[in-house]
């Protein structure tokens, strides 16, 4: 019987546990124990029902084009829970000079696929529009080494595109900065396009011409009753005796071809370990076993973020803009990074006579915010919503959620670091890394990382960072 410890009960660890449970049920000689330090499973996935509104504290959905989270839902019998974003209402704004300017239709990240809406948009200056037109003739002058997203976007479309689109988008998704994040790790598809076509616009047009239109597919997928349903359904499927809450693992040491895992007052022997914590937590646990590996893991930066949800009545709902929400330019001098109009983005989130707004604060731009009290954060958010949307009404309720060092930042050189991590873990007993620190921070990538870690350890003891 192979005994595997899973450390960390967020979605990555749960996906690993679910995979091992499936193997166990089909007769594979495998046993697992899931150690979670907090009092609940799910990590940053938390859904609360408040006065008939469904409030997501962490992720509210996942990208439909990445299949692994939806696949897991289907395996869990949750196919009828899957809902798509209301893409008919899909409009996102950028706050520029305290005005909301719509991102032009047809922009794929920063690549225009429809020229007219972009050329007519007030979001970009004439100079940038000219650069967009010239980009069509861009020849491949790829950088040999990894570079920042900012440098890459600047090479193609100039600095205004970085400031007005790439940076706010990355700040909204990663809580990160275009001037820090790695092109190879974060947007590899665009590098492939550049390598093949030189011009991103030409590459995108060619890809569109080849693909069968699939307009029925929504951009985001979520669950009718919230993201927490995935967590609860996985937990319900696992063997109760294998689940340990309030059990932080304090250390792991190589022992007799496996690992001695110490949690609380007890130590247990395992043949293999799946480390599904954030990389900085993995670094602490591996400090004694391999200080160099630990140092590489610790060097993966994480940012902290805060979500503030506010509910309002139907008068506010009627007055709010249409669309999914807005992103805030760094130069606006606001603490808000992004705002989602939840009642527009998904059905089943708020009754028809309620507005539900979710605001993002923090990110690598503003780590200080984590020191503020909940009251102060609500005050900041309300003050800025008043300035931007003239929203002065009293909210029906508010909720604040703080996520300390939860979002990995794939900075320049991230992929080379993963190679070093892989190399350094080769001298150790069977160990697989899963989680948002390595090859994708979104929920689908985390699910994939957990599934692959479990599969690797029950198969051939592969030690790659997944
Ligand atoms: C505010 C926010 C919004 C987001 N929005 C989206 C979104 O809309 N769509 C999307 O796809 N992604 C989104 N993400 C990203 C995504 O949700 C996360 O990357 C993903 O859920 C991380 O899962 P994880 O299991 O790797 O890590 P976590 O959820 O961080 O779980 C790690 C677990 O390990 C436990 N742990 C740590 N140390 C130990 C130890 N020593 N012993 C035992 N247990 C330990 C922790 O308590 C925690 O439960 C968002 C993230 C945040 C924070």
């Amino acid at each position: 019987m192979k005994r595997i410890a899973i450390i960390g009960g967020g979605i990555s660890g749960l996906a690993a546990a679910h995979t091992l449970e499936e193997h166990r049920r089909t007769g594979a000689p495998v046993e697992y124990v899931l150690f979670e330090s907090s009092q609940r499973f799910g990590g940053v996935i938390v859904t609360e029902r408040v006065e008939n509104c469904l409030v997501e504290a962490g992720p509210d959905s996942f990208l439909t084009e990445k299949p692994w989270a939806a696949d897991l839902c289907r395996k869990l019998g949750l196919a009828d829970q899957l809902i798509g974003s209301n893409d008919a209402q899909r409009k996102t704004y950028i706050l520029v000079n305290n005005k909301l300017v719509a991102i032009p239709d047809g922009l794929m990240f920063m690549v225009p696929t429809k020229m007219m809406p972009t050329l007519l948009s007030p979001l970009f200056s004439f100079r940038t529009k000219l650069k967009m037109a010239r980009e069509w003739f861009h020849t491949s002058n790829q950088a040999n080494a990894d570079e920042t997203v900012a440098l890459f976007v600047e090479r193609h479309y100039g600095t205004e595109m970085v400031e007005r689109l790439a940076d706010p988008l990355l700040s909204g998704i990663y809580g990160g900065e275009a001037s820090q994040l790695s092109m190879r790790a974060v947007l590899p598809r665009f590098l492939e396009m550049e390598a093949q076509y030189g011009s991103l616009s030409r590459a995108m047009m060619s890809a569109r011409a080849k693909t069968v239109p699939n307009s029925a597919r929504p951009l985001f997928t979520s669950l009718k009753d919230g993201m927490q349903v995935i967590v609860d359904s996985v937990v319900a499927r696992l063997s109760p005796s294998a689940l340990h809450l309030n059990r932080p693992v304090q250390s792991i040491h190589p022992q007799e071809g496996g690992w001695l895992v110490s949690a609380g007052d007890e130590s247990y022997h395992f043949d293999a370990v799946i480390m599904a914590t954030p990389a900085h937590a993995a670094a602490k646990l591996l400090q004694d076993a391999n200080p160099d590996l630990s140092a590489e893991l610790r060097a993966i930066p994480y940012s902290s973020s805060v979500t503030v949800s506010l509910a309002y009545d139907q008068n506010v709902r009627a007055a709010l803009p249409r669309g999914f929400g807005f992103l805030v330019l760094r130069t606006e001098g606001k603490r808000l990074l992004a705002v989602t109009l939840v009642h527009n983005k998904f059905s089943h989130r708020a009754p028809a006579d309620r507005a539900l707004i979710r605001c993002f604060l923090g990110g690598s731009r503003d780590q200080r915010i984590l020191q503020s009290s909940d009251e102060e954060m609500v005050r900041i958010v309300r003050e800025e919503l008043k300035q931007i949307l003239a929203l002065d009404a009293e909210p029906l309720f508010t909720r604040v959620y703080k996520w300390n060092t939860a979002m990995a930042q794939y900075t320049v050189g991230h992929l080379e670091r993963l190679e070093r991590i892989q190399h350094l873990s080769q001298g150790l007993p069977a160990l697989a890394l899963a989680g948002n620190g390595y090859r994708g921070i979104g929920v689908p990538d985390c699910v994939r990382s957990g599934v692959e870690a479990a599969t690797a350890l029950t198969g051939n003891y592969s030690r790659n960072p997944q």
Side-chain angles (χ1 to χ4, degrees):
M1 184 66 71
K2 192 174 288 177
R3 297 191 74 234
I4 301 180
I6 303 165
I7 306 175
I11 193 63
S12 305
L14 289 172
H18 178 260
T19 305
L20 294 180
E21 176 62 27
E22 281 192 323
H23 288 204
R24 197 183 69 79
R25 288 186 188 201
T26 54
V30 62
E31 243 175 47
Y32 61 90
V33 175
L34 174 56
F35 295 96
E36 165 54 42
S37 56
S38 74
Q39 59 198 5
R40 54 173 292 284
F41 291 111
V44 303
I45 300 183
V46 178
T47 308
E48 261 198 275
R49 223 173 240 292
V50 191
E51 297 182 21
N52 287 330
C53 290
L54 203 135
V55 179
E56 295 287 9
D60 69 348
S61 58
F62 44 84
L63 279 174
T64 306
E65 70 166 13
K66 297 200 166 195
W68 307 286
D71 287 350
L72 175 63
C73 290
R74 285 186 206 99
K75 282 188 185 153
L76 293 166
L78 296 174
D80 59 353
Q81 272 278 324
L82 295 174
I83 56 169
S85 44
N86 294 326
D87 285 2
Q89 296 220 37
R90 198 171 101 213
K91 189 177 257 223
T92 304
Y93 303 87
I94 306 273
L95 186 73
V96 186
N97 301 325
N98 209 41
K99 285 206 175 64
L100 294 180
V101 179
I103 297 180
D105 191 25
L107 263 192
M108 305 290 285
F109 192 58
M110 69 280 186
V111 185
T113 58
K114 293 180 190 169
M115 265 346 240
M116 263 345 250
T118 309
L119 290 177
L120 295 173
S121 168
L123 187 57
F124 305 112
S125 64
F126 178 69
R127 204 178 135 93
T128 299
K129 289 172 186 170
L130 209 60
K131 276 188 186 290
M132 284 182 194
R134 284 205 197 118
E135 205 275 342
W136 188 263
F137 305 101
H138 204 278
T139 48
S140 183
N141 59 347
Q142 247 188 324
N144 289 324
D146 194 7
E147 63 184 329
T148 64
V149 174
L151 276 176
F152 177 88
V153 175
E154 203 178 314
R155 270 199 290 119
H156 285 265
Y157 299 109
T159 49
E160 192 180 63
M161 185 65 100
V162 178
E163 286 158 14
R164 296 212 160 175
L165 209 57
D167 197 54
L169 280 171
L170 292 174
S171 162
I173 300 168
Y174 285 83
E177 294 178 35
S179 61
Q180 303 290 322
L181 294 175
S182 149
M183 199 57 207
R184 281 190 184 166
V186 173
L187 295 168
R189 213 174 113 217
F190 289 95
L191 282 175
E192 285 160 24
M193 289 180 184
E194 184 184 56
Q196 199 181 347
Y197 291 90
S199 155
L200 303 177
S201 302
R202 270 190 290 132
M204 200 64 94
M205 288 297 179
S206 159
R208 273 165 68 96
K210 283 182 206 148
T211 49
V212 182
N214 188 0
S215 53
R217 228 164 66 141
L219 183 59
F220 302 105
T221 298
S222 189
L223 284 95
K224 198 169 152 226
D225 295 319
M227 296 290 286
Q228 172 92 37
V229 171
I230 313 179
V231 173
D232 296 344
S233 303
V234 173
V235 171
R237 213 44 175 245
L238 302 177
S239 157
S241 60
L243 305 179
H244 294 282
L245 287 173
N246 297 309
R247 200 71 74 88
V249 170
Q250 285 119 8
S251 65
I252 65 168
H253 292 283
Q255 185 202 54
E256 296 163 18
W259 292 94
L260 187 70
V261 173
S262 302
D265 296 335
E266 297 182 62
S267 296
Y268 315 79
H269 179 83
F270 288 94
D271 300 303
V273 165
I274 295 175
M275 190 73 84
T277 63
H280 50 82
K284 274 193 204 141
L285 297 179
L286 287 161
Q287 176 62 43
D288 291 343
N290 188 328
D292 292 339
L293 173 60
S294 168
E296 291 288 0
L297 290 165
R298 192 171 297 110
I300 298 173
Y302 273 71
S303 71
S304 302
S305 57
V306 176
T307 61
V308 180
S309 290
L310 310 97
Y312 293 93
D313 65 15
Q314 58 188 343
N315 295 329
V316 170
R317 181 163 174 156
L320 286 170
R322 291 175 170 277
F324 285 4
F326 61 89
L327 303 161
V328 180
L329 289 194
R330 189 178 298 275
T331 47
E332 291 296 298
K334 299 268 188 277
R335 309 285 300 263
L336 279 174
L337 299 180
V339 171
T340 304
L341 301 171
V342 180
H343 54 277
N344 289 341
K345 189 173 173 187
F346 288 105
S347 309
H348 311 288
R349 293 297 178 260
D353 59 354
R354 293 281 181 272
L356 186 60
I357 300 181
R358 184 160 102 128
C359 305
F360 292 82
L361 302 164
S364 45
R365 254 194 231 179
D366 187 10
Q367 295 289 279
R368 270 182 317 129
I369 193 85
L370 268 288
Q371 270 112 53
S372 308
S373 66
D374 288 8
E375 294 72 30
E376 178 63 3
M377 290 193 212
V378 171
R379 193 198 61 72
I380 291 169
V381 161
R382 289 193 59 198
E383 178 56 35
E384 295 195 357
L385 289 178
K386 188 171 155 188
Q387 291 162 10
I388 300 164
L389 298 171
L391 172 52
D392 203 10
E394 197 63 35
L396 301 172
F397 68 79
T398 59
R399 286 290 182 280
V400 176
Y401 306 93
K402 296 177 192 166
W403 299 114
N404 207 352
T405 52
M407 287 289 249
Q409 304 293 303
Y410 301 164
T411 49
V412 170
H414 182 77
L415 295 188
E416 287 79 0
R417 171 162 292 119
L418 293 190
E419 276 171 26
R420 292 196 295 276
I421 288 173
Q422 180 182 346
H423 178 71
L424 287 165
S425 49
Q426 261 155 21
L428 294 170
L431 172 73
L433 299 172
N436 74 5
Y438 311 106
R439 297 194 189 272
I441 61 160
V443 171
D445 283 309
C446 289
V447 168
R448 181 180 51 83
S449 79
V451 172
E452 289 182 1
T455 309
L457 291 180
T458 44
N460 59 5
Y461 280 85
S462 155
R463 299 176 180 100
N464 298 349
Q466 303 298 317

